[in-house]
Amino acid sequence: MVESRSQGEPLVNVSIGTAAVLGLAEVWMAAAPTTAYLMLGGRCLMNCTFCAQARESQASALNLSRVTWPEYPLELVVQRLSEAAARGDVRRACLQVTVTRTSFERSMAVLRAVKAASGVPFDVAILPHDLEQVGQLVEAGADHIGFGLDAACERVFRQVKGGDWTRSLSLIEETARAFPRRAALHLIVGLGETEREMVERIQWAHDLGIVVGLFAFTPLRGTHLYGHPPPSLASYRRIQAARWLIVHDQARVEEMDFDGEDHLACLQGTLPPGGDPFETSGCPDCNRPFYNEQPGGPLYNYPRPLTVGEADQALQEMEIKTKC
Ligand code: SF4
């Protein structure tokens, strides 16, 4: 059952922005989350070099990326979440799950509790053991299973995550085939992959009908990769634009030009004027405010629609031609 702080009451972590929307905390927010972000934390059995929750991480166990996730009684969170969903303040919920001996059972308990109280679409970002576990989550009402593959290619996967690349890919592929449109894939830009490797991975996911959520590598104090720089804004903008063209079937990676260092050199296809490609990507209504950046910017993922000026600037920031 979900760990308890005292008196046996089950607890769950809630991102500080979500806690504010649910009325559990008072914090000023430049942009509010439109998805309620919950977490089953606790030191992970995995040891991903960029992650605050990793086995050897010295970062706070209440952190995921640069965000704090205080703990609250699960029952109270479920009640507040269903009220916020009824008000329309949140349009989705997502549970981040670190790998522990009981994480699957605990995730099922949270999923069932939320689904019993609210019809809000609920995603679970977890490392399932096999397709059987994926099936149990979908049957219990999970809308998407979020796979933290994070690395775009095997070379980087081995360096930053460890584990079995081939087995990870095949479980994601099996899920996409067995449960169409229920898989989401997290990819982190800036872990050492080339732009071509990232765009090829995005194309692979799109061809399988998998939702792609892009994250910008964020150096975190206390993790092994703290000294590693975040991706350049130009590179991140190019990847965002390529993702948008691919998922809107405007272009394929095979039609894009790359230079000698596998940087995107030219994007075939028409980008929309309004800046949509530069908003947070992933499941519908997943906006992850300031998950990878300071509110003061620069913003890798815009958690809200861009202004006309921001949209123009984001296109300039790509530093490439859009007519090949
Ligand atoms: S894309 Fe967003 S809502 Fe979907 S699984 Fe990932 S974090 Fe959750």
Side-chain angles (χ1 to χ4, degrees):
M1 205 51 195
V2 178
E3 268 102 354
S4 62
R5 181 171 40 206
S6 62
Q7 313 300 332
E9 68 177 330
L11 300 171
V12 68
N13 299 82
V14 178
S15 79
I16 194 66
T18 301
V21 172
L22 301 190
L24 297 168
E26 278 191 30
V27 287
W28 176 83
M29 293 183 290
T34 49
T35 285
Y37 299 101
L38 312 181
M39 174 171 74
L40 289 175
R43 279 291 167 231
C44 189
L45 293 174
M46 299 273 291
N47 201 28
C48 305
T49 55
F50 53 84
C51 183
Q53 293 284 318
R55 189 174 64 243
E56 293 173 4
S57 165
Q58 304 299 309
S60 161
L62 291 180
N63 273 31
L64 189 63
S65 191
R66 54 180 298 286
V67 177
T68 302
W69 302 63
E71 284 181 325
Y72 297 94
L74 175 62
E75 198 177 326
L76 175 61
V77 171
V78 169
Q79 177 210 330
R80 294 292 181 84
L81 173 55
S82 57
E83 290 164 0
R87 288 194 309 269
D89 290 350
V90 294
R91 298 190 288 275
R92 178 170 295 277
C94 185
L95 179 67
Q96 314 291 317
V97 184
T98 63
V99 181
T100 65
R101 295 195 199 297
T102 58
S103 48
F104 182 73
E105 293 72 22
R106 295 160 52 207
S107 312
M108 289 292 285
V110 174
L111 173 57
R112 291 197 178 105
V114 170
K115 294 312 288 184
S118 165
V120 70
F122 191 88
D123 301 321
V124 184
I126 188 172
L127 186 59
H129 183 64
D130 53 25
L131 197 61
E132 160 66 25
Q133 287 195 342
V134 171
Q136 289 180 45
L137 289 163
V138 171
E139 201 176 319
D143 193 35
H144 293 92
I145 308 303
F147 288 91
L149 183 69
D150 302 323
C153 60
E154 182 167 10
R155 174 177 50 77
V156 173
F157 184 88
R158 289 181 181 285
Q159 287 165 0
V160 303
K161 289 190 69 93
D164 188 328
W165 169 255
T166 308
R167 188 165 178 279
S168 301
L169 284 195
S170 66
L171 181 55
I172 296 168
E173 219 166 306
E174 285 172 25
T175 299
R177 296 189 197 291
F179 305 101
R181 309 220 160 269
R182 309 303 282 277
L185 185 69
H186 294 172
L187 291 173
I188 301 177
V189 176
L191 291 174
E193 75 292 337
T194 66
E195 292 178 17
R196 183 194 291 271
E197 287 167 331
M198 182 55 75
V199 178
E200 285 173 346
R201 186 58 51 205
I202 293 168
Q203 186 73 65
W204 170 84
H206 178 61
D207 292 346
L208 286 164
I210 298 172
V211 172
V212 172
L214 289 179
F215 296 72
F217 165 66
T218 308
L220 299 171
R221 192 180 294 281
T223 66
H224 285 304
L225 275 188
Y226 180 50
H228 187 83
S232 73
L233 197 56
S235 179
Y236 196 76
R237 292 281 182 256
R238 291 193 287 269
I239 298 293
Q240 286 177 307
R243 184 206 72 88
W244 191 91
L245 291 169
I246 288 171
V247 303
H248 289 84
D249 296 313
Q250 295 264 326
R252 292 186 58 83
V253 63
E254 298 84 6
E255 300 159 346
M256 297 176 184
D257 289 350
F258 296 87
D259 67 15
E261 290 163 30
D262 279 345
H263 292 139
L264 271 160
C266 188
L267 278 173
Q268 190 68 30
T270 308
L271 292 167
D276 305 19
F278 310 111
E279 288 186 42
T280 306
S281 56
C283 303
D285 303 308
C286 175
N287 69 336
R288 303 192 298 275
F290 317 116
Y291 194 76
N292 293 138
E293 59 275 289
Q294 306 273 346
L299 300 185
Y300 286 100
N301 294 319
Y302 280 84
R304 53 162 174 74
L306 287 73
T307 65
V308 172
E310 288 168 338
D312 290 347
Q313 184 187 333
L315 288 172
Q316 301 310 319
E317 285 164 347
M318 291 195 302
E319 298 175 2
I320 59 165
K321 294 178 294 176
T322 52
K323 285 282 169 283
C324 301

